[in-house]
Amino acid sequence: MGKGLTDNLNSAYVEAANRLSGKQAPKKIVAYVESYDDVLFWSNLLREAQLPGIRFEVILPSRYSLSKGKKIALANDLGPRLGKYMIACVDADYDYVLQGVTENSKMVCSNPYVFHTYAYAIENFQCYAPTLHNVCVMATLNDRNVFDLERFLSEYSEIVWPLFVWNVWAYRYGAYKQFSLIDFARVVTLTEVNLHHPEQTLARLRHLVNGKISRLQKSYPQGRRTYKPLWNELLALGLTPQTTYMYMRGHDLFDGVVTPLLSAVCDVLRKEREREIRRLAEHATQLQNELSAYAHASSPIDEMLRKNLAYTDCPLYQKIIDDIKSFVTGGA
């Protein structure tokens, strides 16, 4: 299928269309996103950032292709078409922490018409620690707080932070094939979670992290000169050891850390609710009916996590909104 009109859109075209719509009509700004999965996140965010007289329209880079990803959203033929009436909205991935080392990173960090998540991806927002108790409530219909999720993820983050800096170092200095995102994920994934003794889970993680760091220090003695400055640079960018989980690869966090953690919590909450039903049931038929109704009403934790939209108080989310508002007031 040949290219359609939307594939030839540029900022100047949208600006001309805005003029034709009349002075009273809100000015439209087209926002390209990476994939269908990103439409809701950016649509909600841009609506919050919308100022009087401005209207955002979120679309995919091509309506004639199912291709997805940042390379499509920031394709060479799209970059020159961006402007004050056409922007691109993408996951930061590692491009934010790489600060222009690669071409992709350069565009993400320097192009005034490209906006990014600061966090690695949208999945990191879905895993935002202060919202996770409510995710458990949605999944189990049990509001009892049986585990301090925020404290655990903060301590988890502090433990993995030094290794995270090493991983960014590897991508900054060309050693990513020897210590890739996949390698990092293998070390920091939670294979088991002991809710009664979380310190044991964290101690095992600390042992794995320290072992990997020791091996990296031996393999890359040149890191002694560049590692600490990178550590400080990342802190200056706004990263903190307590929120490392927001900057590691999103699906590794989602699948390898938060889902197993919440699964363990929800297992406790479901069993507690089922015990309550058994205690209160007056006869076998009522027991079976209530257990069946509860099973039908509760939901898988990963499904509820993907539906989590309660991250709007996250400082990084507000930072994106501020960026958009600043752009609109200064440019459009």
Side-chain angles (χ1 to χ4, degrees), residues 25 83 179:
F179 185 40

Side-chain angles (χ1 to χ4, degrees), residues 47-51 56 115 318-331:
R47 195 175 300 115
E48 285 194 52
Q50 210 158 262
L51 297 173
F56 288 101
F115 297 88
Q318 293 300 319
K319 192 172 182 179
I320 310 168
I321 289 177
D322 291 343
D323 289 346
I324 299 286
K325 286 183 176 178
S326 177
F327 163 74
V328 170
T329 55

Side-chain angles (χ1 to χ4, degrees), residues 49-292:
Q50 210 158 262
L51 297 173
I54 296 294
R55 176 174 64 87
F56 288 101
E57 180 182 345
V58 176
I59 63 177
L60 297 173
S62 176
R63 294 181 180 178
Y64 300 97
S65 169
L66 293 178
S67 298
K68 60 179 65 175
K70 187 180 294 179
K71 286 185 179 178
I72 301 300
L74 299 181
N76 290 334
D77 66 333
L78 176 58
R81 293 192 279 137
L82 299 177
K84 64 180 184 177
Y85 291 100
M86 180 173 289
I87 62 176
C89 299
V90 300
D91 287 341
D93 299 333
Y94 259 16
D95 290 323
Y96 177 54
V97 296
L98 290 180
Q99 285 294 295
V101 169
T102 65
E103 286 303 312
N104 242 19
S105 176
K106 198 177 297 181
M107 177 171 264
V108 167
C109 295
S110 303
N111 191 313
Y113 308 117
V114 175
F115 297 88
H116 62 83
T117 52
Y118 290 102
Y120 190 98
I122 292 169
E123 287 164 311
N124 300 72
F125 285 103
Q126 293 168 334
C127 296
Y128 181 49
T131 70
L132 294 181
H133 172 69
N134 283 340
V135 174
C136 293
V137 174
M138 289 192 295
T140 66
L141 309 180
N142 186 343
D143 191 34
R144 200 163 79 83
N145 199 339
V146 297
F147 189 75
D148 194 337
L149 291 162
E150 289 187 57
R151 179 179 175 182
F152 182 88
L153 275 176
S154 177
E155 292 180 1
Y156 168 92
S157 290
E158 288 181 353
I159 292 169
V160 304
W161 166 258
L163 188 61
F164 169 80
V165 177
W166 265 111
N167 195 224
V168 176
W169 183 93
Y171 279 82
R172 284 272 191 110
Y173 292 96
Y176 59 89
K177 289 183 179 178
Q178 290 73 38
F179 185 40
S180 66
L181 284 162
I182 294 173
D183 297 325
F184 175 74
R186 287 195 185 109
V187 179
V188 303
T189 291
L190 296 180
T191 54
E192 58 182 58
V193 180
N194 188 334
L195 297 185
H196 299 295
H197 295 284
E199 72 280 359
Q200 294 177 6
T201 300
L202 294 173
R204 180 180 181 278
L205 174 68
R206 187 179 289 107
H207 174 74
L208 293 172
V209 166
N210 289 342
K212 184 63 178 179
I213 289 175
S214 178
R215 293 190 293 276
L216 287 166
Q217 288 172 336
K218 289 176 182 176
S219 299
Y220 302 100
Q222 66 270 34
R224 291 176 185 169
R225 182 176 55 83
T226 50
Y227 176 84
K228 192 60 179 177
L230 175 59
W231 173 302
N232 292 330
E233 182 185 337
L234 293 176
L235 293 178
L237 285 174
L239 283 70
T240 70
Q242 295 76 27
T243 57
T244 310
Y245 74 95
M246 291 297 290
Y247 302 95
M248 58 187 282
R249 187 161 60 173
H251 77 254
D252 294 333
L253 172 71
F254 192 103
D255 294 333
V257 179
V258 174
T259 294
L261 177 61
L262 296 196
S263 294
V265 172
C266 288
D267 190 47
V268 171
L269 293 173
R270 285 194 184 96
K271 286 178 180 176
E272 184 179 82
R273 182 65 75 219
E274 288 167 357
R275 283 196 299 271
E276 183 181 62
I277 291 171
R278 288 189 174 90
R279 180 174 60 82
L280 295 175
E282 296 179 2
H283 47 75
T285 301
Q286 185 183 44
L287 174 62
Q288 290 306 313
N289 288 343
E290 289 297 327
L291 286 174
S292 177

Side-chain angles (χ1 to χ4, degrees), residues 33-43 58 89-91 122:
V33 299
E34 298 178 58
S35 73
Y36 293 109
D37 297 334
D38 302 334
V39 171
L40 181 62
F41 175 89
W42 286 106
S43 179
V58 176
C89 299
V90 300
D91 287 341
I122 292 169

